[in-house]
Amino acid sequence: MRVLFLFLLAGCLTTSCNKLKDRERVKPDLLATMDEEDEFYNIFTSQTPAVSGNDGPYELGTKFKVTSLGQITQIRYYKTTGETGTHTGRIWSAGGTVLASVTFTGETASGWQTATLSTPYVTTANTVYVVTVNSNTEYGATANGLENVVTNGPLSTIVGANGVFGSTLGAFPTGTYHSTNYFRDVTFEVLPDISAPTTPDSVTITENYAYGLDLSWKPSTDNDAVTGYNVYNDTVLLASVYGTWANIYGLTPSTAYSIKVRARDAAGNLSVASTAINITSGSTSSGLRGWQIDSTNAGLRGKGIDKLTLPLYTGGRIPRGSTISMKKIVNLDVSEGNIIIDRCWIVSEASNGWPVGSTEGAVLIKDSHIEGSGGLGSYAAHPQQTPLDKDVTFLRVEVSIQGGGFSFGGASIVRNCLINNLPGDGGDPGGAGNHVDGGTRRIGTAQLNVIDNHIDVRSAGNNATGAFMIQPTYGFIDNILLRGNLFGGGGYVISAGNYTPDGGPTRYYGDHIYIDNNRFYSGPAYGYISTQGAALGGWTNNYVNNPANTGNMGTVITYP
């Protein structure tokens, strides 16, 4: 192609990706069927070719991806002055099958030319297509114009081997050169999604205890994408979740429930409910309390697994929707979301908070061991729910050799976990002044349930060490339930305080914080509970731990 030499001298034009608003780009006959809710997009908007070539003829094309439900209504190409002859536009599959075609009529001398398909081609979400239009004597081009992704709404170009050409007209082009943009384009119409996902299958109750139950199911499918699931007691919504599991808490003990699950998609369509599972929730004595949790029933040791025998996971970022089992994972990356980590040894090399959350979906870590890479950790080195908008669950996890147990600001559950042997912030692990929290919330108002855990950080020192810290360092916090735990702290065991940063203003915690039926190791340096702000929502049935008594109930601890 003789024009390719010119590409070495021509720069790429600055591009922009704006939603197609000016209806002049759409044929009048299509406009007649539109209303204000319709959405139409082109791949390219303000871009025009940098140079033109006069060799050929060629079949020229663009690879692109569609991310939402819709249909291709038109094919477009940019015509340079001097181009003549008949032009045919084609839509191809990524493998080279013709899916739709149209011959252009009524063309102008130059600029964007548009041909409307006789029947719109309905696309599949998250699928790659190729649009081509032949050239005869002239064509426009911009070298490296497709080197980076071009995105406009649900349309985006593919990076790598894009800007395709071929010397046989009407044949699938496969040649590429310098990611050249030949300005072949489509008009895409977003369609309303009215199709519901398939019904969740194989719903299974994995644990039933006094105030809750755990369940899982096989994923549903959808014509676009499943975005989450709703769990019901018959028709009453219990929880909305993002993964293929749910940890329901807040049930009434010894009560009949009819559990059903429905899948949902981005358009709000709900599947038919799964077959009901009729179950009676556990009695108040069922399940393990925090004072019964130790290395025989939490973490890898609770499953009889020697962490040193686990093979190293080498896959890097864990793919969305995956379950990773029986691996050693160094520097866990669950940012893809909807991920289950099961019976794994998770080693963090971070010196500060490291993320266990995702904007893309929920994360469940169960029956695993989380620890630092060795030696003393800094105070901030701990699993941290970042970002906050999807659920995180720790179930029967052991956490050790970290600067802290966990810091969760979003919707989350920590249950039946063993958190101990946390070295804190420098110095002698047994010395005074080592600041380490077994658990903490420093921002967020989504419900945090810390249930039936053994959290003991006494080994890190006694001056500024707490089993659970409630401090609105980064913003208002609320909606915390601490129930059924065994807590051990060196200074205050539980501390709740407002926070005033340099320059203010003061940040506060709310009054929906409940501390109920917990046990506390005796002998903290300062006390069992410290509040420096509003009164808590509730302080009930909390006792000094005494294994000699029923329910480990020693001396009752009164609210200060």
Side-chain angles (χ1 to χ4, degrees):
M1 302 178 74
R2 191 163 64 244
V3 76
L4 294 180
F5 173 76
L6 297 177
F7 290 165
L8 302 178
L9 304 176
C12 296
L13 296 182
T14 301
T15 63
S16 65
C17 300
N18 299 310
K19 178 179 172 181
L20 177 63
K21 289 292 188 181
D22 53 337
R23 301 294 178 82
E24 292 177 359
R25 294 176 181 167
V26 184
K27 287 288 189 178
D29 57 342
L30 185 59
L31 277 172
T33 67
M34 293 171 56
D35 59 41
E36 292 304 315
E37 298 302 318
D38 291 328
E39 294 182 280
F40 291 83
Y41 296 86
N42 301 131
I43 302 170
F44 308 114
T45 55
S46 61
Q47 303 93 324
T48 56
V51 297
S52 63
N54 57 10
D55 55 336
Y58 295 107
E59 190 78 18
L60 302 172
T62 304
K63 297 179 183 178
F64 65 99
K65 183 179 182 179
V66 176
T67 59
S68 68
L69 180 69
Q71 60 186 12
I72 297 170
T73 61
Q74 299 172 327
I75 296 176
R76 309 194 314 151
Y77 83 99
Y78 194 93
K79 185 177 184 179
T80 54
T81 302
E83 170 65 345
T84 61
T86 301
H87 299 92
T88 300
R90 296 176 175 86
I91 303 297
W92 310 76
S93 70
T97 300
V98 176
L99 305 174
S101 64
V102 63
T103 300
F104 285 74
T105 59
E107 295 189 27
T108 60
S110 63
W112 283 106
Q113 312 297 312
T114 302
T116 300
L117 297 174
S118 59
T119 301
Y121 179 77
V122 178
T123 58
T124 301
N126 301 307
T127 301
V128 174
Y129 298 94
V130 182
V131 55
T132 68
V133 180
N134 64 287
S135 71
N136 298 306
T137 57
E138 292 272 354
Y139 57 90
T142 297
N144 303 309
L146 300 177
E147 183 177 22
N148 299 310
V149 65
V150 177
T151 299
N152 187 20
L155 301 177
S156 59
T157 59
I158 304 302
V159 174
N162 204 350
V164 292
F165 67 89
S167 57
T168 302
L169 301 188
F172 185 63
T174 57
T176 61
Y177 185 82
H178 284 193
S179 299
T180 300
N181 186 357
Y182 298 113
F183 294 87
R184 269 52 183 171
D185 197 355
V186 298
T187 297
F188 178 78
E189 179 185 10
V190 176
L191 295 177
D193 182 3
I194 58 173
S195 297
T198 60
T199 302
D201 190 22
S202 301
V203 179
T204 303
I205 304 296
T206 55
E207 187 170 359
N208 177 19
Y209 56 102
Y211 295 95
L213 55 85
D214 299 338
L215 64 155
S216 63
W217 53 88
K218 291 183 178 179
S220 298
T221 59
D222 187 61
N223 63 315
D224 188 1
V226 175
T227 58
Y229 299 85
N230 293 347
V231 181
Y232 299 86
N233 174 30
D234 195 16
T235 59
V236 177
L237 181 66
L238 296 176
S240 293
V241 299
Y242 297 95
T244 54
W245 69 90
N247 308 102
I248 307 297
Y249 193 77
L251 303 182
T252 303
S254 303
T255 301
Y257 288 89
S258 179
I259 302 300
K260 302 176 183 178
V261 181
R262 301 178 72 181
R264 63 181 188 271
D265 63 18
N269 299 306
L270 291 173
S271 73
V272 173
S274 63
T275 302
I277 297 179
N278 297 312
I279 190 170
T280 299
S281 58
S283 66
T284 54
S285 62
S286 63
L288 295 175
R289 303 283 85 79
W291 46 93
Q292 298 170 303
I293 297 296
D294 56 28
S295 61
T296 66
N297 49 35
L300 290 173
R301 292 186 292 174
K303 293 295 182 180
I305 298 170
D306 181 353
K307 65 184 182 182
L308 299 178
T309 65
L310 297 179
L312 181 66
Y313 174 77
T314 58
R317 179 184 298 170
I318 296 174
R320 177 179 172 83
S322 297
T323 297
I324 304 298
S325 302
M326 299 289 288
K327 298 288 186 181
K328 176 184 178 181
I329 306 174
V330 178
N331 297 328
L332 177 70
D333 185 345
V334 292
S335 57
E336 293 288 332
N338 285 349
I339 290 169
I340 298 175
I341 304 298
D342 176 28
R343 292 165 296 158
C344 289
W345 179 21
I346 302 167
V347 179
S348 170
E349 297 175 324
S351 60
N352 50 26
W354 50 275
V356 292
S358 170
T359 59
E360 302 301 320
V363 174
L364 167 62
I365 301 178
K366 62 178 183 176
D367 301 308
S368 296
H369 189 168
I370 297 174
E371 65 182 9
S373 56
L376 297 179
S378 73
Y379 165 59
H382 57 260
Q384 180 174 314
Q385 188 175 6
T386 303
L388 305 179
D389 57 344
K390 299 294 188 296
D391 303 351
V392 172
T393 300
F394 277 14
L395 182 61
R396 296 182 300 273
V397 175
E398 181 176 1
V399 182
S400 63
I401 320 296
Q402 290 272 283
F406 62 90
S407 179
F408 289 170
S412 46
I413 295 176
V414 180
R415 185 166 68 82
N416 284 168
C417 293
L418 174 62
I419 299 173
N420 63 2
N421 190 23
L422 302 178
D425 186 13
D428 179 2
N434 286 313
H435 194 165
V436 55
D437 298 325
T440 183
R441 168 163 278 190
R442 295 177 180 271
I443 190 172
T445 59
Q447 185 65 43
L448 166 61
N449 291 326
V450 181
I451 309 296
D452 298 334
N453 304 282
H454 185 171
I455 303 177
D456 182 8
V457 297
R458 294 174 297 167
S459 64
N462 62 7
N463 279 342
T465 298
F468 197 86
M469 169 74 77
I470 301 166
Q471 185 182 72
T473 309
Y474 307 110
F476 180 73
I477 57 176
D478 204 1
N479 298 313
I480 301 170
L481 174 63
L482 310 180
R483 174 181 284 163
N485 303 283
L486 173 57
F487 289 127
Y492 286 111
V493 182
I494 295 176
S495 178
N498 298 327
Y499 178 77
T500 305
D502 292 341
T506 298
R507 297 164 183 163
Y508 300 93
Y509 61 85
D511 58 1
H512 298 90
I513 298 173
Y514 301 94
I515 302 175
D516 172 61
N517 195 30
N518 299 283
R519 306 294 178 265
F520 293 76
Y521 283 111
S522 62
Y526 303 142
Y528 295 106
I529 173 70
S530 169
T531 57
Q532 300 171 11
L536 300 178
W539 173 276
T540 52
N541 304 312
N542 297 296
Y543 300 88
V544 175
N545 184 59
N546 187 344
N549 294 344
T550 300
N552 285 44
M553 290 188 294
T555 304
V556 66
I557 302 173
T558 58
Y559 185 72

